[in-house]
Amino acid sequence: MPNGFEKEALMMRGILVASALLLAASAAAAPAPVGVWSMPKDKATIRISTCGDALCATLIGLRKPNDKNGRPKVDKHNPNPALRNRPVIGLSLLTDMRREGNGWAGRFYNPDDGRSYAGTIMADGSSRLKLRGCVIGGLLCKTQVLRRVD
């Protein structure tokens, strides 16, 4: 039969376990970062939405939408030659971006170089997102902070 001290320790352990479970449940239930976001220096604007249990992102605007010849920018660095003439505005930027822990993990497409990167998205408050893209097994990474515009 536990003494008073043991009973109190068991009760505290139960409270700690219940609190941890509640925190984990609230983190898992955190809403997806749905909305319109601006890249650093307002270079680009993207719309993030849910696509089933994943996130989708579409490039919806550019600070400089036209090339030096005044034509709309195209996906000229895409590794697939058949896709190099498609407009950059309207491109899908995320692939298989699914909830992982209290963030999202998947792949980003970067039309600036035509490459896809493993990456994560983490909320940094209600008006900022941290996007982290990595190459070479996560050894070389870059983080960008997006700000909510809607």
Side-chain angles (χ1 to χ4, degrees):
M1 178 147 230
N3 64 31
F5 178 75
E6 290 170 335
K7 284 181 184 177
E8 188 174 321
L10 286 171
M11 185 174 14
M12 288 303 290
R13 187 178 317 150
I15 290 171
L16 288 173
V17 167
S19 297
L21 289 172
L22 284 172
L23 283 173
S26 68
V34 171
V36 178
W37 301 86
S38 179
M39 301 289 287
K41 299 180 184 177
D42 295 326
K43 178 182 175 184
T45 306
I46 63 171
R47 179 182 316 280
I48 297 178
S49 56
T50 55
C51 294
D53 61 348
L55 291 180
C56 298
T58 304
L59 182 63
I60 61 170
L62 293 170
R63 186 179 68 227
K64 295 180 180 179
N66 297 324
D67 64 18
K68 62 185 174 188
N69 297 317
R71 292 181 296 234
K73 289 184 178 174
V74 295
D75 194 14
K76 66 183 180 183
H77 298 293
N78 195 297
N80 180 343
L83 300 177
R84 291 182 184 156
N85 289 321
R86 66 183 178 165
V88 172
I89 293 179
L91 282 180
S92 176
L93 302 176
L94 298 179
T95 305
D96 205 31
M97 187 63 66
R98 299 187 185 282
R99 189 176 294 281
E100 185 175 284
N102 54 352
W104 300 80
R107 299 197 63 79
F108 298 107
Y109 176 67
N110 180 0
D112 289 339
D113 62 12
R115 297 184 62 193
S116 291
Y117 298 93
T120 59
I121 297 175
M122 300 287 289
D124 185 15
S126 62
S127 61
R128 291 172 27 123
L129 288 180
K130 287 186 179 179
L131 277 61
R132 182 174 173 91
C134 301
V135 295
I136 311 174
L139 295 176
L140 206 53
C141 298
K142 181 179 179 181
T143 300
Q144 290 190 342
V145 177
L146 278 61
R147 67 176 171 75
R148 184 180 291 278
V149 294
D150 74 344

